[in-house]
Amino acid sequence: MKKIIAGAILSALAACAVFAGGIDAKTNLNAGYIRNPSRNTESERPEAALYNIAGTAFMADGLYLEAGDQFIFKTYSHEDAVTEYKDEKPVFLFPNAEIVYKHGKFGFFGTFQVAAGGGSLEYKDGSAALPGAKPIDVYSVTFGQNLGVSYAINDKVSLSGAVRLLEANQTMETTHASLGKIGYEASGFGVGGIFGVNWRPVENLDLAFQYKSVTKMECEIDSNKGSAAALSTLKFMGIDLAKGKKYDADLSPEFNFGAGYKIDNLYLSSSFNYYFNGQADMGSALSDKNSDYDDSWEIYGGADYKINEKFLVSGGIGYSKQGYNDKYNNYFSPVLDCVSFGLGGEITPVKALTVAFGGMYAKYLEEEYKSNKLNKSIIMLGLSATYKFGL
């Protein structure tokens, strides 16, 4: 019984990812991703500061401000031989903001986004993995900021570098029939780097390369919940929720590649992301052992068509291969392969203002993990506004 409780709580405290490319790292960093998930050659909009930092050097001169939000409707489930347990709590606040100042050969940028986690889980009826505990509430978010500069060597090649700052916050709370109320709050901070190259070998062709280094992050328990007897029992099982305990919560390195080609008013693009999960130490407050996920990758194709100066339509499709294996997955936030579809557009009512909107559906492929069927589905809506000063 002790091993069952320990293992179940451990899986509950794993990252509650909303839409992850890596195990925890987000791909939907910007509302523009929703309308067309192939973003890696972006060089016209301030979201380049998220997906193609070297592309900011090829933007038109000016000061750009962009802000957006995503609305996420999800169903996570795991099912044993008798019962299906679900989390259906929506996420209404998933914000992003970017600022880019482009002048001559230089671009300067800063961003704010959800880099990892970003969701709440609420299993009102408990879980097959943790009998006698309900409700189970988990929250995990890691906010990120990119601060960097880009430089266009000539009209064909640009380079860029940025610092990535991360701040993590995690909470968990449940009431167990034997242990009573248990939970914790933790936080952490990490620093990493981003390096990018945008190459235009021929007219209308973009090739973009970007690397995000591992962001080392260590979280610390700031407070805990539970009686002295409950905390002592957990410690006996190897789960130490003492205030001040630290655990690893790295964000894995990424390699991002994009290729895009413009034909009149049509822009076609493809994007590929690879996550080196094995190079990151991914731990939990409830274990002294780190997880050992396999590497993961995703590929996207998309198109933008400019109808006229005021309207643009876009769409894209992608496939994500996740890094779960026989030893590591998550009952509460399943790590699953998926196919995603995005559709949307942009409206430019006045020359300086652009409003983007879109919807995306992610179809996940069911997997069996420790005699449970894991499944989930996600529908995302995105809305953002970009204003350019100096026009």
Side-chain angles (χ1 to χ4, degrees), residues 43 52-59 102 104-107 150-160 196-203 205-209:
S43 60
N52 177 26
I53 61 173
T56 59
F58 287 142
M59 294 173 64
K102 169 63 182 358
K105 292 181 176 293
F106 287 93
S150 59
Y151 177 74
I153 298 175
N154 49 44
D155 60 357
K156 292 184 179 294
V157 179
S158 64
L159 306 175
S160 185
V197 178
N198 200 147
W199 180 33
R200 293 177 168 175
V202 297
E203 186 178 3
L205 176 64
D206 282 298
L207 299 177
F209 308 84

Side-chain angles (χ1 to χ4, degrees), residues 154-183:
N154 49 44
D155 60 357
K156 292 184 179 294
V157 179
S158 64
L159 306 175
S160 185
V163 175
R164 179 165 69 164
L165 308 174
L166 300 180
E167 300 93 34
N169 291 279
Q170 297 180 1
T171 65
M172 176 269 189
E173 182 175 335
T174 190
T175 301
H176 192 271
S178 299
L179 301 178
K181 181 175 290 187
I182 52 176

Side-chain angles (χ1 to χ4, degrees), residues 55-64 99-109 150-152 388:
T56 59
F58 287 142
M59 294 173 64
D61 283 3
L63 175 64
Y64 302 76
I99 180 171
V100 177
Y101 177 65
K102 169 63 182 358
H103 181 72
K105 292 181 176 293
F106 287 93
F108 304 90
F109 56 88
S150 59
Y151 177 74
K388 182 181 178 184

Side-chain angles (χ1 to χ4, degrees), residues 318-369:
Y319 174 74
S320 177
K321 175 63 178 176
Q322 288 296 314
Y324 61 84
N325 52 54
D326 292 340
K327 294 182 179 179
Y328 293 98
N329 208 307
N330 192 319
Y331 288 110
F332 296 87
S333 180
V335 179
L336 303 171
D337 299 343
C338 81
V339 179
S340 54
F341 309 86
L343 187 67
E346 293 180 339
I347 300 174
T348 306
V350 295
K351 192 174 182 180
L353 176 66
T354 299
V355 177
F357 58 92
M360 175 174 282
Y361 172 66
K363 170 59 178 176
Y364 289 84
L365 308 181
E366 183 181 278
E367 285 289 334
E368 186 168 315
Y369 177 64

Side-chain angles (χ1 to χ4, degrees), residues 255-334:
F255 171 71
N256 315 122
F257 170 74
Y261 191 77
K262 186 175 183 181
I263 308 172
D264 297 325
N265 289 341
L266 177 65
Y267 188 76
L268 301 173
S269 65
S270 61
S271 298
F272 175 78
N273 303 317
Y274 192 91
Y275 300 84
F276 300 90
N277 298 320
Q279 297 182 25
D281 295 324
M282 304 180 194
S284 165
L286 302 180
S287 177
D288 293 328
K289 295 181 179 180
N290 290 334
S291 299
D292 187 19
Y293 284 98
D294 298 334
D295 290 352
S296 53
W297 56 268
E298 55 194 0
I299 188 167
Y300 298 99
D304 296 330
Y305 182 74
K306 192 171 185 178
I307 299 173
N308 52 42
E309 293 301 317
K310 292 186 178 295
F311 298 100
L312 177 143
V313 294
S314 59
I317 184 172
Y319 174 74
S320 177
K321 175 63 178 176
Q322 288 296 314
Y324 61 84
N325 52 54
D326 292 340
K327 294 182 179 179
Y328 293 98
N329 208 307
N330 192 319
Y331 288 110
F332 296 87
S333 180

Side-chain angles (χ1 to χ4, degrees), residues 25-56:
K26 299 272 86 62
T27 308
N28 56 318
L29 300 172
N30 177 279
Y33 169 90
I34 305 301
R35 65 176 180 83
N36 178 0
S38 180
R39 310 304 319 140
N40 290 1
T41 58
E42 180 60 61
S43 60
E44 295 183 2
R45 303 164 181 83
E47 63 194 71
L50 293 169
Y51 294 102
N52 177 26
I53 61 173
T56 59

